[in-house]
């Protein structure tokens, strides 16, 4: 049986950790070792936006230790990532260079959406538990050092996701100078947290019923340890395999909360046999979950125990075909796009028609132009979101749609991919720019790909320019250097034909294929 040893390294806000896994088709993903060291990059980033040389030196020493551990296992497959602590540092390029020179590691700084995607992949490893919970209103709450990610699932669909800058370390840094000016530090923390969470609930959960909360984050280990010591919550079966999870209901969490807030960080550190730094983070994390319980009707919190390292291992195992994907995240990405379109009252019959035509055109030319499944996904998202800018202003719809996409996270897409979608949409009502105008944003290869996908979107949109879905049973055939598009209709298509012909030159220039729209007058 072929077994692969894989290492996942997370350069986090509070600590840098490495988990080593055995991965095989027979047994799936199995963790065999976990090592971690405190390196509070977030402490500096969230207060000064700068990581000092002392901290860089400490990080390099930790990573060299990890490298030696990997040699013990003869590990060649690994992934090393960093999140907000490096993402927000003004000298992150210097940090990356120092790490590369001194350790040989190439750290990938994840965008927030990439980070959350890996976290959700870790949950999907627990296929039955995860799928069972998200059948009804379930809020995933991922508390990190720099921010909280709140994602609502219902009927196995991702409804919305938002990132709020309320991470445990960030809260601590913002309020540390104020704690000496008040007699009740807990109230100060709670007031700071409550506004952001209340706003999220009012904007995105007002018409939704939340029954379950899934708690995620590397800092939950101390929670589980405290609950185990004091017997808060129970171990409950979750699926037909009788797998167990740490779960607390509302009343049990209230007892836990009263207990943890009655103790000082020093007392917690001694009781949990952990550092004072770690113990001091328990209060803001507990308050975040307490506030979310108060704002929702959720009756239980499931403490997942899964980490971004588990997500890296799952992603690696899927790409190596060691495990089958436990959850169709492509459907989730498309579902998120549809929910964004609905939020901005986008014309659904129109964008679904444009989406259908885009996919027909794409499939006809993909082979000759080496277009991939992922390119098709980006085009599909652009079709769904292409006219959401009408909500802001009916003039310059492309520009307004671009701004909406640039301001809205789509879990599963990297920041660069979201920018690509935004640019496809941006130039629907204006000429596509020359490469020199956006060379600081895209490589030449990316520029050509965006232009090609934009030209497909232009033709598909032209075919429903009246927003009346005039064509039925549209067929697309590639015949040599001609793309024959035939739609059955008895409507007058003068408008659609005229706009289509105006946009056909751009398509022909990019593909070397002339698109021809034909009307077939029959039912």
């Amino acid at each position: 049986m072929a077994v692969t040893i894989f290492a996942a390294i997370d350069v986090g806000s509070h600590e840098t950790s490495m988990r080593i896994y055995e991965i095989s088709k027979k047994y799936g993903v199995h963790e065999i070792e976990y090592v971690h060291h405190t390196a509070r990059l977030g402490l500096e980033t969230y207060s000064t936006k700068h990581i000092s040389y002392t901290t860089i030196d400490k990080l390099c020493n930790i990573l060299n230790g990890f490298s030696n551990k990997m040699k013990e296992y003869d590990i060649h497959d690994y992934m090393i990532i960093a999140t907000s602590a490096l993402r927000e540092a003004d000298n992150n390029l210097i940090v990356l260079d120092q790490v590369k020179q001194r350790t040989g590691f190439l750290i990938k700084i994840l965008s927030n959406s990439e980070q959350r995607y890996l976290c959700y992949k870790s949950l999907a490893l627990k296929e039955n538990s995860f799928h069972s919970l998200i059948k009804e209103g379930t809020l995933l709450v991922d508390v990190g050092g720099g921010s909280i990610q709140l994602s609502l699932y219902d009927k196995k669909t991702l409804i919305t996701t938002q990132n709020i800058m309320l991470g445990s370390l960030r809260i601590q840094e913002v309020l540390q100078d104020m704690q000496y000016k008040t007699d009740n530090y807990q109230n100060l923390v709670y007031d700071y947290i409550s506004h952001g969470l209340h706003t999220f609930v009012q904007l995105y959960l007002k018409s939704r019923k939340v029954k379950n909360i899934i708690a995620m984050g590397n800092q939950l280990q101390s929670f589980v340890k405290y609950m185990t010591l004091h017997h808060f919550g129970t171990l409950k079966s979750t699926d037909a395999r009788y797998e167990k999870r740490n779960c607390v209901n509302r009343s049990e969490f209230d007892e836990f909360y009263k207990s943890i807030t009655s103790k000082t960080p020093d007392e917690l550190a001694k009781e949990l046999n952990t550092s004072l730094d770690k113990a001091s983070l328990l209060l803001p994390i507990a308050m975040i979950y307490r506030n979310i319980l108060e704002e929702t009707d959720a009756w239980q919190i499931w403490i997942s125990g899964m980490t971004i390292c588990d997500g890296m291992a799952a992603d690696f195992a899927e790409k190596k075909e060691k495990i089958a994907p436990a959850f169709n995240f492509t459907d989730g990405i498309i579902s998120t796009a549809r929910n964004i379109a609905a939020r901005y009252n986008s014309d659904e019959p129109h964008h679904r028609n444009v989406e259908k035509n885009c996919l027909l055109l794409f499939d006809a030319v993909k082979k000759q132009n080496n277009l991939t499944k992922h390119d098709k996904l980006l085009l599909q998202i652009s079709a769904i979101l292409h006219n959401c800018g009408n909500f802001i202003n009916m003039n310059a719809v492309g520009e307004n749609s671009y701004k909406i996409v640039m301001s809205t996270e789509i879990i599963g897409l990297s920041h660069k991919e979201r920018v690509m979608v935004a640019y496809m949409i941006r130039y629907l009502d204006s000429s596509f720019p020359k490469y020199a105008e956006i060379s600081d944003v895209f490589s030449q290869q990316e520029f050509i790909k965006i232009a090609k996908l934009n030209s497909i979107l232009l033709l598909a949109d032209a075919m429903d320019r009246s927003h009346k879905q005039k064509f039925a049973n549209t067929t697309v055939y590639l015949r040599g250097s001609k793309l024959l598009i035939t739609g059955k209709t008895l409507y007058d298509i003068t408008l659609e034909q005229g706009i289509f012909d105006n946009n056909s030159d751009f398509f022909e220039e990019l593909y070397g294929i002339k698109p021809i729209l034909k009307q077939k007058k029959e039912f």
Side-chain angles (χ1 to χ4, degrees):
M1 179 182 65
V3 176
T4 301
I5 308 297
F6 175 78
I9 301 173
D10 173 24
V11 180
S13 300
H14 180 74
E15 66 180 20
T16 296
S17 58
M18 178 173 71
R19 294 177 188 267
I20 298 174
Y21 302 86
E22 285 184 342
I23 300 174
S24 65
K25 285 189 176 181
K26 185 174 182 179
Y27 296 109
V29 179
H30 175 63
E31 183 182 317
I32 56 176
E33 187 159 353
Y34 168 51
V35 289
H36 59 102
H37 296 282
T38 300
R40 304 186 80 190
L41 279 70
L43 187 69
E44 295 183 340
T45 297
Y46 306 142
S47 58
T48 68
K49 298 292 183 183
H50 195 84
I51 297 175
S52 68
Y53 176 77
T54 301
T55 301
I56 296 172
D57 186 59
K58 184 174 183 179
L59 175 62
C60 289
N61 289 336
I62 291 170
L63 293 177
N64 277 323
F66 287 176
S67 180
N68 292 332
K69 175 63 69 174
M70 289 166 63
K71 288 174 184 175
E72 293 177 19
Y73 285 91
D74 193 26
I75 293 173
H76 301 285
D77 296 306
Y78 70 92
M79 183 176 182
I80 175 168
I81 60 94
T83 51
S84 63
L86 263 181
R87 191 166 60 230
E88 297 179 28
D90 60 11
N91 63 332
N92 54 23
L93 294 179
I94 293 172
V95 177
L96 295 181
D97 181 67
Q98 282 289 301
V99 168
K100 180 183 175 182
Q101 295 299 323
R102 297 175 58 181
T103 71
F105 283 123
L106 294 172
I107 300 177
K108 179 179 181 181
I109 299 180
L110 300 182
S111 67
N112 184 64
S113 56
E114 289 175 304
Q115 175 185 347
R116 307 307 168 180
Y117 180 60
L118 285 178
C119 287
Y120 298 165
K121 274 207 166 186
S122 73
L123 277 175
L125 279 174
K126 299 289 186 181
E127 180 178 1
N128 294 317
S129 302
F130 182 58
H131 286 198
S132 176
L133 283 171
I134 64 173
K135 286 179 181 177
E136 51 189 2
T138 298
L139 188 64
L140 274 66
V141 183
D142 186 356
V143 179
S147 65
I148 311 169
Q149 190 76 23
L150 298 160
S151 304
L152 177 67
Y153 276 88
D154 197 12
K155 297 176 183 175
K156 293 190 176 182
T157 299
L158 178 60
I159 304 300
T160 188
T161 184
Q162 294 292 320
N163 186 257
I164 305 174
M165 296 298 187
L166 285 176
S168 54
L169 270 176
R170 195 186 300 271
I171 292 168
Q172 204 175 54
E173 284 306 303
V174 170
L175 301 182
Q176 66 174 349
D177 292 336
M178 303 178 199
Q179 63 181 308
Y180 305 110
K181 301 175 184 178
T182 178
D183 294 331
N184 197 325
Y185 179 62
Q186 289 185 16
N187 282 350
L188 178 67
V189 175
Y190 204 78
D191 287 345
Y192 183 71
I193 291 169
S194 61
H195 173 70
L197 295 178
H198 180 73
T199 301
F200 169 80
V201 170
Q202 290 300 304
L203 287 175
Y204 300 104
L205 302 186
K206 204 168 184 180
S207 60
R208 300 279 180 177
K209 191 172 183 65
V210 176
K211 290 191 174 182
N212 307 299
I213 292 171
I214 299 178
M216 297 183 66
N218 293 338
Q219 299 165 353
L220 289 176
Q221 294 168 334
S222 298
F223 261 53
V224 174
K225 192 172 183 180
Y226 192 87
M227 288 176 179
T228 303
L229 284 172
H230 295 275
H231 307 292
F232 292 112
T234 54
L235 290 174
K236 298 181 180 179
S237 59
T238 61
D239 52 43
R241 296 180 184 178
Y242 299 102
E243 293 180 3
K244 304 291 185 178
R245 70 168 183 262
N246 287 314
C247 179
V248 290
N249 60 33
R250 291 179 75 98
S251 61
E252 290 165 341
F253 186 86
D254 283 342
E255 292 176 29
F256 159 76
Y257 182 76
K258 289 175 184 175
S259 176
I260 210 167
T261 53
S262 68
K263 296 177 181 177
T264 66
D266 286 319
E267 291 171 332
L268 290 171
K270 184 179 292 186
E271 189 172 349
L272 296 173
N273 191 27
T274 189
S275 68
L276 182 60
D277 287 341
K278 271 192 175 182
S280 65
L281 296 177
L282 286 174
L283 176 63
I285 297 173
M287 286 186 167
I288 287 168
Y289 286 107
R290 171 65 179 276
N291 193 286
I292 290 171
L293 278 174
E294 289 180 345
E295 291 280 358
T296 67
D297 296 320
W299 65 276
Q300 69 171 358
I301 297 180
W302 174 42
I303 301 178
S304 71
M306 307 303 290
T307 68
I308 195 169
C309 288
D310 298 316
M312 285 187 265
D315 188 57
F316 173 81
E318 283 181 18
K319 288 176 179 175
K320 294 295 183 180
E321 298 183 346
K322 297 286 187 179
I323 61 172
F327 188 77
N328 191 334
F329 283 97
T330 297
D331 287 348
I333 293 168
I334 294 169
S335 173
T336 299
R338 295 200 195 287
N339 281 307
I340 294 168
R343 188 187 311 157
Y344 291 99
N345 295 328
S346 186
D347 183 347
E348 184 176 0
H350 171 68
H351 72 64
R352 283 192 178 269
N353 187 271
V354 172
E355 177 187 351
K356 180 186 71 174
N357 290 333
C358 275
L359 299 182
L360 285 171
L361 294 168
F362 181 93
D363 286 341
V365 300
K366 64 182 180 182
K367 188 174 181 180
Q368 295 81 355
N369 290 271
N370 298 315
L371 297 173
T372 67
K373 285 184 179 180
H374 199 69
D375 296 332
K376 187 175 184 177
L377 174 63
L378 297 182
L379 176 63
Q380 188 172 2
I381 295 168
S382 71
I384 294 169
L385 298 175
H386 78 279
N387 67 343
C388 58
N390 275 315
F391 183 85
I392 298 174
N393 193 311
M394 293 181 66
N395 295 317
V397 175
E399 186 67 24
N400 292 327
S401 299
Y402 159 83
K403 290 175 180 176
I404 287 172
V405 173
M406 290 295 288
S407 303
T408 308
E409 282 192 323
I410 301 175
I411 300 299
L413 297 188
S414 67
H415 175 72
K416 173 55 74 70
E417 288 165 341
R418 184 155 52 94
V419 175
M420 291 173 74
V421 169
Y423 270 78
M424 287 177 219
I425 293 169
R426 189 178 197 178
Y427 298 102
L428 281 179
D429 44 20
S430 60
S431 299
F432 201 81
K434 304 298 182 185
Y435 178 64
E437 298 175 48
I438 55 175
S439 59
D440 58 331
V441 182
F442 300 111
S443 67
Q444 292 181 6
Q445 186 177 5
E446 290 167 341
F447 171 81
I448 293 297
K449 181 167 290 186
I450 296 165
K452 284 187 172 183
L453 297 179
N454 169 266
S455 70
I456 292 176
L457 182 59
L458 283 169
L459 294 183
D461 184 56
M463 291 170 65
D464 192 38
R465 194 54 179 256
S466 64
H467 288 230
K468 292 181 178 178
Q469 296 81 57
K470 294 178 180 179
F471 292 105
N473 301 319
T474 302
T475 58
V476 182
Y477 294 104
L478 182 62
R479 295 286 184 267
S481 61
K482 293 181 180 179
L483 188 67
L484 305 177
I485 304 156
T486 305
K488 295 179 181 179
T489 183
L490 294 177
Y491 288 100
D492 180 354
I493 64 162
T494 303
L495 175 65
E496 284 74 18
Q497 187 74 65
I499 302 296
F500 185 94
D501 291 343
N502 289 342
N503 292 332
S504 63
D505 288 346
F506 185 48
F507 182 93
E508 186 176 9
E509 179 185 351
L510 286 161
Y511 289 93
I513 300 168
K514 184 170 183 60
I516 301 171
L517 179 62
K518 290 187 174 183
Q519 178 182 10
K520 194 170 185 180
K521 293 187 176 182
E522 65 175 52
F523 288 108

